[in-house]
Amino acid sequence: MPEEKRSKVGTINAAYPHMVQSPPRVCIGSIVSPSPPDQEVPQRDLELEETPMELGGEQGRWEEERLKTASLSFGAKREREQGMRREQERYQLILEEEEMIEFVSTAMTMKGTRTEEVGFTLVSSSSLFIVVPHISFQEALALSQAELKKQSMQEVRRSLPIFPYREDLLAAINQHQILVIEGETDGYTKGGMKIGCTQPRRVAAMSVASRVAQEMSVKLGNEVGYSIRFEDCTSERTVLKYMTDGMLLREFLTEPDLASYSVVIIDEAHERTLHTDILFGLIKDIARFRSDLKVLVASATLDTERFSCFFDDAPVFRIPGRRFPVDIFYTKAPEADYLEACVVSVLQIHVTQPTGDVLVFLTGQEEIETCCELLQERCRRLGSKIAELLVLPIYANLPSDMQAKIFNPTPPGARKVVVATNIAETSLTIDGIIYVIDPGFCKQKSYNARTGMESLIVTPCSRASANQRAGRAGRVAAGKCFRLYTAWAFKHEMEETTVPEIQRTNLGNVVLLLKSLGINDLIHFDFMDPPPHETLVLALEQLYALGALNHLGELTKLGRRMAELPVDPMLSKMVLCSEEVLTIAAMLSVNNSIFYRPKDKVVHADNARMNFVVPGGDHLVLLNVYTQWLESGYSTQWCYENFIQFRSMRRARDVRDQLEGLMERIEVEVVSSQGDSLPIRKVGETRENLANGGYKTVKHQQTVYVHPNSSLFEEQPRWLIYHELVFTTKEFMRQVARGA
DNA sequence: GAGCACTGC
């Protein structure tokens, strides 16, 4: 019995009890374990896991049985590694029932058109209207987009989910809905008044605007336009303006009462992005004195109560959504090794299910790469025994040309498997997906306000998220969703909804923005879900330390300027120094690593990165990278040759240009420090070197370490300045510079 | 000697 494997189970168990009540499945040959006895399995710690006999009684016997199963599995694994021939024999068994994961259908189906109560909640309290379509505007448009290809515009319009309710809706709010606008926006767009509609994502703002312009037969940018960072596609004629939620938030700085808007629509409200949540508070506030302002909140969940309640019991108007039914399957017993379970499930679907592509949700790049490798390897070994299986990864950091591959149509006779991160949950839609495999995990950011440390941790996802994933199987036809956890776990162990971002993130930026809008009492600001008290306090403390707030908590002149710059307060302060710092701040604010590091070319990538190292630390390395890129003429080819992410660099350039423009506006002169690197270093806290390679933070006396990817990892100078603190396997300082 | 989910200004 391999001890290390068992303790690993213990480790996972401690973190995610619901996932690990069974021994790990390590190969296709492992046998589905019997159901546990009726009583609930107590949460066990590492020690208990290693001495299961101590549990005693029925529970103990059950544990013992299961550990035997585990050892059988490991035995099988060793056997499997012995030779190709055996391997072949095993795989021939792939179709045999006991070789497969046992799924149970719980008669649970995400219902299609007729029965699902989804739709709008249109609500009005004197000045306030809330529309909560359980199918979002964006979703409705995406659905109709597919039909646009085969039908006339008129037919498509009729086929929109909202169409049958249009009259009621129009009557109820006495105006015209964005979805069904047919040029009758007059009443709300007289005298230069606009309708604004926010989306959480840039592409959504652009594509919805483009579609509506098409519907209204106007040129995009005229009556209908969009506004996103780095790109303003509106004109004086624009009456219907689509934008990102963050963009509207910034508009508060120049127009605190949104005087030029007669209607504001917040779409995809259920996503609860940080910006959406702040908008809620601000809009609720201005709606009190702007009785002419109409507010519409659109959400795709059934949880309309929360929204209605927050907006003083605004009424709710429902419109049924439209989606194909999705059958939900759960595993009979929990799966400890979900990566292996994914691979088995994909093959199972491939061999036993009719045509249709598969979408697998994993948590990150590494997992996705491993999963793709495993799938490809097994397909190769199975050879002509199975039909062709196209395995395609997708995650945000994947270069664009490789991302594009997932949209290629599947050749006849083959099946496509897309292995994705959460990017496929909301940000992009892939045609032809019929099967979804959901292990039930995602990577989530969390923020510890006591230490000011962020961490990115794999956590079980929420039921809302799981349902969103399942819904991805029902876009083109009836689909199936295979959940790699039990129905019991879904019901009892997963959270209803994902914790809103506002409760999981550093709020330095937001606090500075609210302060500059004249909101002094942040503790009593009307948040739909308030952030932790400590988060607000720490943000205030840090702003005070940076000189953005005075001892009374009032905004200083510096603070006012800092609020204009759309970067972290630490960076906006730094930017008010020298030209080089502008570049460095832009590079630091691109939070993705600019260094591309694919698994199969790790050595090349690391060598390429070494070539950029200069003395002084990571900030100067970043400056060096940017300068060389500039000298190459912002070349794509240059990026490719040097294992640099072109997208991140282009973004850094955009941010840099924007900051430079804003600096002019707030009348701060951009001066070059003429090769003197000192001003660059005025960031972060200083640490003193400890014997064990760790450092102690000056402020909290906390032990932290240099990140191994840093250019100063080997050097370890006595004093260090760091840009951010991140917890992964240890407390790491990322982006460090040599102290004085 | 680690590993960055996804957005957004």
Side-chain angles (χ1 to χ4, degrees), chain A residues 489-509:
Chain A
F490 178 77
K491 201 174 165 199
H492 297 101
E493 289 171 346
M494 287 162 81
E495 297 291 337
E496 176 68 43
T497 52
T498 310
V499 176
E501 191 184 0
I502 197 171
Q503 296 181 333
R504 300 186 275 116
T505 193
N506 177 340
L507 293 178
N509 240 335

Side-chain angles (χ1 to χ4, degrees), chain A residues 292-470:
Chain A
D292 59 318
L293 182 73
K294 305 280 185 197
V295 180
L296 299 140
V297 177
S299 158
T301 60
L302 296 167
D303 185 27
T304 53
E305 274 301 300
R306 291 294 320 276
F307 298 108
S308 172
C309 180
F310 178 74
F311 286 104
D312 301 327
D313 297 321
V316 174
F317 188 93
R318 291 173 201 276
I319 292 181
R322 198 192 38 193
R323 193 201 281 132
F324 295 95
V326 176
D327 287 323
I328 312 266
F329 297 87
Y330 295 90
T331 54
K332 201 167 176 182
E335 292 292 331
D337 183 349
Y338 65 80
L339 209 56
E340 175 66 24
C342 280
V343 173
V344 175
S345 305
V346 169
L347 294 172
Q348 227 169 286
I349 289 170
H350 190 42
V351 186
T352 64
Q353 300 287 315
T355 320
D357 297 336
V358 186
L359 175 60
V360 184
F361 283 100
L362 291 174
T363 65
Q365 176 176 347
E366 193 176 339
E367 240 176 54
I368 288 172
E369 282 171 351
T370 311
C371 181
C372 288
E373 278 167 20
L374 283 172
L375 274 170
Q376 256 141 6
E377 184 192 313
R378 291 195 193 178
C379 284
R380 205 170 48 240
R381 290 187 184 169
L382 285 163
S384 58
K385 286 196 197 70
I386 55 165
E388 189 187 355
L389 193 68
L390 295 165
V391 182
L392 300 168
I394 178 95
Y395 46 88
N397 264 347
L398 192 72
S400 325
D401 54 326
M402 289 161 85
Q403 283 192 353
K405 286 184 184 167
I406 64 161
F407 296 111
N408 294 341
T410 313
R415 192 194 297 272
K416 180 158 77 182
V417 182
V418 177
V419 188
T421 58
N422 259 0
I423 195 172
E425 198 177 297
T426 48
S427 305
L428 54 89
T429 309
I430 311 149
D431 274 344
I433 299 294
I434 300 288
Y435 308 99
V436 163
I437 296 172
D438 175 21
F441 289 104
C442 63
K443 262 187 196 165
Q444 252 198 358
K445 194 167 83 172
S446 63
Y447 179 66
N448 181 340
R450 296 249 171 88
T451 54
M453 193 142 51
E454 286 188 337
S455 46
L456 200 57
I457 298 169
V458 175
T459 27
C461 66
S462 66
R463 282 197 287 274
S465 178
N467 288 337
Q468 175 76 19
R469 290 175 174 191

Side-chain angles (χ1 to χ4, degrees), chain A residues 472-683:
Chain A
R472 294 281 150 174
R475 300 189 64 91
V476 286
K480 289 179 183 173
C481 174
F482 298 91
R483 292 180 169 161
L484 302 181
Y485 40 91
T486 62
W488 197 89
F490 178 77
K491 201 174 165 199
H492 297 101
E493 289 171 346
M494 287 162 81
E495 297 291 337
E496 176 68 43
T497 52
T498 310
V499 176
E501 191 184 0
I502 197 171
Q503 296 181 333
R504 300 186 275 116
T505 193
N506 177 340
L507 293 178
N509 240 335
V510 163
V511 167
L512 189 59
L513 181 87
L514 291 177
K515 281 278 180 187
S516 68
L517 291 176
I519 296 155
N520 292 319
D521 185 8
L522 287 165
I523 308 292
H524 295 105
F525 183 73
D526 199 354
F527 293 107
M528 192 164 156
D529 284 304
H533 189 254
E534 299 82 32
T535 305
L536 288 175
V537 171
L538 186 67
L540 290 166
E541 275 175 13
Q542 285 179 344
L543 289 170
Y544 173 74
L546 289 168
L549 301 175
N550 64 21
H551 67 285
L552 297 171
E554 297 160 339
L555 210 61
T556 61
K557 196 176 169 190
L558 172 69
R560 199 160 292 283
R561 283 176 165 167
M562 284 168 62
E564 295 279 335
L565 305 179
V567 288
D568 191 86
M570 205 109 81
L571 294 180
S572 56
K573 159 112 190 204
M574 164 173 124
V575 154
L576 307 169
C577 287
S578 81
E579 195 177 355
E580 282 78 7
V581 166
L582 205 57
T583 304
I584 292 171
M587 292 287 277
L588 287 173
S589 83
V590 176
N591 48 2
N592 276 334
S593 172
I594 57 150
F595 299 104
Y596 180 52
R597 202 164 180 273
K599 212 180 176 185
D600 51 337
K601 287 172 195 146
V602 163
V603 180
H604 288 93
D606 286 351
N607 283 338
R609 185 170 55 190
M610 277 225 300
N611 290 332
F612 291 106
V613 171
V614 285
D618 302 323
H619 297 72
L620 295 176
V621 173
L622 290 176
L623 178 62
N624 185 23
V625 172
Y626 189 90
T627 311
Q628 290 196 34
W629 183 54
L630 187 148
E631 282 162 7
S632 80
Y634 302 118
S635 153
T636 321
Q637 184 63 28
W638 181 89
C639 289
Y640 183 76
E641 284 163 4
N642 290 284
F643 288 86
I644 299 291
Q645 300 260 18
F646 175 71
R647 260 183 304 178
S648 304
M649 292 306 293
R650 189 178 49 194
R651 194 175 159 77
R653 187 183 61 191
D654 287 340
V655 173
R656 194 195 179 286
D657 290 351
Q658 187 191 27
L659 291 178
E660 201 170 29
L662 287 165
M663 296 277 278
E664 271 171 42
R665 202 179 105 188
I666 57 178
E667 292 165 339
V668 175
E669 202 185 343
V670 178
V671 204
S672 169
S673 67
Q674 313 262 327
D676 173 13
S677 65
L678 258 184
I680 297 167
R681 297 185 184 158
K682 289 180 186 165
V683 207

Side-chain angles (χ1 to χ4, degrees), chain A residues 13 17-18 20-21 36-37 39-45 48-49 55-56 59-60 62-63 493:
Chain A
N13 199 12
H18 74 278
V20 219
Q21 287 160 14
Q39 82 260 32
E40 211 179 296
V41 182
Q43 199 168 323
R44 289 153 285 152
D45 60 19
L48 276 177
E49 179 66 33
L55 287 167
Q59 184 65 57
W62 180 68
E63 286 296 330
E493 289 171 346

Side-chain angles (χ1 to χ4, degrees), chain A residues 610 613 618 689 693 695 706-717 720 736 738:
Chain A
M610 277 225 300
V613 171
D618 302 323
N689 206 340
Y695 287 71
V706 180
H707 196 278
N709 278 355
S710 166
S711 62
L712 293 179
F713 180 68
E714 314 256 308
E715 210 177 320
Q716 307 266 337
L720 275 186
V736 298
R738 178 179 264 292

